[in-house]
Amino acid sequence: MRDATAAESPDFEVVDSTLMKRVFYIFAALALLSVAISLGGKWLGRSIAMAGYSDDTTVRQVVMGNNLISVPANFIRFDQARRDGIASRLDLYLRYPEMDGYSAAARDDFNHTTTRKIIFLSFEPRMMSRDMSGRFAPIYSALIEKPGTPGPGGTTVYAFSEKSGYLNEVLAVAERPGKDPFVARCLSGPSAEESLAPCERDIQVGDDLSLTYRFPRELLANWPALDAAIAAKVASILKTGH
């Protein structure tokens, strides 16, 4: 009996060792999984909290043709565009009048829980020889119904004719001594109420670039300050000859 027991003992030891190894590997795997879930949960939680925004202020260098746009990452609207390199279009957003990008302090403004004050900017290669102001006399003036009605900030608001193709839009125009008029197209009716930035205007900037900026209609009341702030911000981030 003792010989039989002794003969069987090594087998029992081998089985026991294998089982312990399996238990060890299982617990190790569970520990690693727990760490991964914890780290992933923190990352996902921050990602959800940020809702696509970034508070990264690293300056990105974006090249468009003969232009260099140097802009903090938290100004750039889409995550995939927050990098250095060549781009055919660049979309930004910022607060007005602060003219800054997303941050924890600006969270409510960017989530539109306060008054509407976010401006959206899009840089892209120029497709037209004239900007919106330059298009008023040769194009828009033939597409609007006159006379217009008084609008905010000394503007005159014109409805577009039915055949113009601009459905549910109006044109806001303000005279500027010695310059083409200030011109912006704005959504009207329910569409305007649903939009965060129902007015838009495009201007020529840099070397053959066009900048379209969209803004809340409330800012029409002080359009000179708005237009000047946009021009100043563009001058600070855009350089040509690169």
Side-chain angles (χ1 to χ4, degrees), residues 31-70:
L32 290 173
L33 180 61
S34 177
V35 171
I37 291 174
S38 176
L39 293 175
K42 290 179 180 178
W43 176 87
L44 183 60
R46 174 174 170 79
S47 178
I48 292 173
M50 296 296 283
Y53 299 124
S54 173
D55 55 8
D56 179 11
T57 57
T58 302
V59 175
R60 297 302 181 186
Q61 308 284 346
V62 181
V63 177
M64 299 184 69
N66 198 39
N67 304 276
L68 176 66
I69 304 172
S70 302

Side-chain angles (χ1 to χ4, degrees), residues 170-210:
V170 296
L171 196 70
V173 181
E175 295 300 326
R176 299 187 294 183
K179 302 172 66 175
D180 288 331
F182 169 89
V183 179
R185 291 204 331 264
C186 298
L187 296 173
S188 60
S191 299
E193 297 300 323
E194 296 169 2
S195 175
L196 297 172
C199 293
E200 74 170 45
R201 167 172 168 76
D202 65 68
I203 58 177
Q204 295 180 348
V205 298
D207 187 355
D208 287 330
L209 286 185
S210 176

Side-chain angles (χ1 to χ4, degrees), residues 56-108:
D56 179 11
T57 57
T58 302
V59 175
R60 297 302 181 186
Q61 308 284 346
V62 181
V63 177
M64 299 184 69
N66 198 39
N67 304 276
L68 176 66
I69 304 172
S70 302
V71 63
N74 64 333
F75 278 54
I76 300 175
R77 188 175 175 191
F78 301 114
D79 180 64
Q80 66 270 24
R82 295 176 187 136
R83 57 176 178 79
D84 299 329
I86 299 172
S88 59
R89 178 186 173 103
L90 183 64
D91 294 288
L92 311 179
Y93 49 9
L94 46 85
R95 287 194 300 172
Y96 180 83
E98 294 85 356
M99 305 302 282
D100 58 5
Y102 179 84
S103 65
R107 181 184 296 114
D108 287 346

Side-chain angles (χ1 to χ4, degrees), residues 15-36:
V15 171
D16 187 61
S17 175
T18 302
L19 178 62
M20 290 303 296
K21 286 181 179 179
R22 289 178 179 174
V23 171
F24 172 77
Y25 289 143
I26 289 172
F27 275 104
L30 288 174
L32 290 173
L33 180 61
S34 177
V35 171

Side-chain angles (χ1 to χ4, degrees), residues 205-229:
V205 298
D207 187 355
D208 287 330
L209 286 185
S210 176
L211 169 65
T212 299
Y213 69 88
R214 297 188 296 115
F215 57 95
R217 182 162 180 159
E218 293 83 353
L219 299 185
L220 273 178
N222 197 8
W223 63 263
L226 172 63
D227 216 40

